Amino acid sequence: MSKEKRMAGSYEIEQSIYIGEKEVLFGVNKAEEYPFMVCYCSYNNPLSAPWCTEAIGTDDYLEAMQVFTDRVQAQIELVKTEQEQYRFDKTPFTVSDCIPDNHSSNIVGKVVVINAEPKRYEYQHAAYQLVLADGGHGATGGRGQAVFGTCLATGERGRWERYDVLGEIKPEKMPEWAKEALTKLKVQQKEKKTHSREER
């Protein structure tokens, strides 16, 4: 059974490396004036569809490979810089650190642990696991899977799936950095609610 070719426009993708928030692609189309192409590909959109940007074409294979490896290295440096701010134990949390989740209980307002195993290697890090859940059918124990919340380390809101929630973090397993982040986050949320009421 033949494997389906991956394409970016008219170029067949022969090499790809996903590091950080972007994937770097190397494509070939010998029928084009510039047969070698390098671009970024990201999936940060509502449909999670591949979105190619900053494409360059060349007829020089070594030049294309140089651009490809330079872009991969740039992504590595971005992730390194991001993670340098997390000066704490990066060992991922496991189910043993959690109050077991039965997937039907309400976890809104609780700090939950997101399973690190499905994540790419660079994100198998404790910083990306602790999330304050605040909504979604999955969070309320409904039929859906969506769990919305805020990552304590990054401060970014996002969506996770209930089946990726290992459980609520045990109080004794909650690290100091997470306690501090949670306190700040709750203050910010309270201020937003107060501001919203004042606007009304």
Side-chain angles (χ1 to χ4, degrees):
M1 186 175 179
S2 61
K3 186 177 180 181
E4 185 177 351
K5 295 179 180 179
R6 182 181 179 186
M7 306 294 292
S10 64
Y11 290 85
E12 181 181 349
I13 302 306
E14 293 193 354
Q15 301 285 343
S16 66
I17 296 181
Y18 207 145
I19 295 287
E21 295 185 354
K22 293 180 180 179
E23 186 178 17
V24 184
L25 306 181
F26 174 82
V28 177
N29 182 352
K30 294 179 181 178
E32 292 282 354
E33 179 182 0
Y34 300 110
F36 306 111
M37 182 278 300
V38 178
C39 69
Y40 287 114
C41 185
S42 62
Y43 302 83
N44 297 329
N45 57 75
L47 299 177
S48 296
W51 186 259
C52 295
T53 59
E54 298 181 51
I56 67 155
T58 178
D59 58 1
D60 187 325
Y61 173 78
L62 293 180
E63 179 186 17
M65 287 306 296
Q66 185 66 64
V67 173
F68 179 79
T69 55
D70 286 348
R71 290 189 175 188
V72 170
Q73 186 60 44
Q75 287 301 111
I76 292 172
E77 294 304 319
L78 283 173
V79 175
K80 280 184 176 180
T81 299
E82 176 186 327
Q83 294 187 355
E84 281 175 359
Q85 64 185 306
Y86 307 134
R87 299 187 180 280
F88 47 75
D89 185 3
K90 67 179 183 180
T91 304
F93 295 102
T94 65
V95 70
S96 65
D97 300 310
C98 308
I99 298 169
D101 185 40
N102 60 17
H103 299 288
S104 61
S105 59
N106 190 328
I107 56 173
V108 172
K110 296 180 179 179
V111 176
V112 297
V113 178
I114 304 299
N115 189 4
E117 289 187 5
K119 295 178 179 289
R120 297 198 311 279
Y121 291 117
E122 68 269 32
Y123 290 126
Q124 291 182 8
H125 188 304
Y128 305 103
Q129 286 187 275
L130 295 184
V131 170
L132 176 62
D134 60 29
H137 290 298
T140 58
R143 292 184 177 181
Q145 289 292 331
V147 175
F148 296 101
T150 303
C151 178
L152 294 187
T154 66
E156 295 178 355
R157 292 203 78 251
R159 170 184 169 154
W160 293 266
E161 304 302 318
R162 184 63 184 254
Y163 52 74
D164 283 330
V165 174
L166 295 180
E168 180 184 356
I169 187 76
K170 291 178 180 176
E172 66 272 20
K173 295 293 186 177
M174 185 90 148
E176 284 303 315
W177 66 263
K179 292 177 183 177
E180 293 173 5
L182 180 61
T183 299
K184 290 179 182 178
L185 181 58
K186 286 186 173 180
V187 169
Q188 291 172 356
Q189 290 178 339
K190 186 176 180 180
E191 289 175 348
K192 284 183 180 179
K193 287 181 180 179
T194 301
H195 185 65
S196 296
R197 285 197 295 268
E198 289 175 350
E199 287 183 340
R200 292 175 190 170

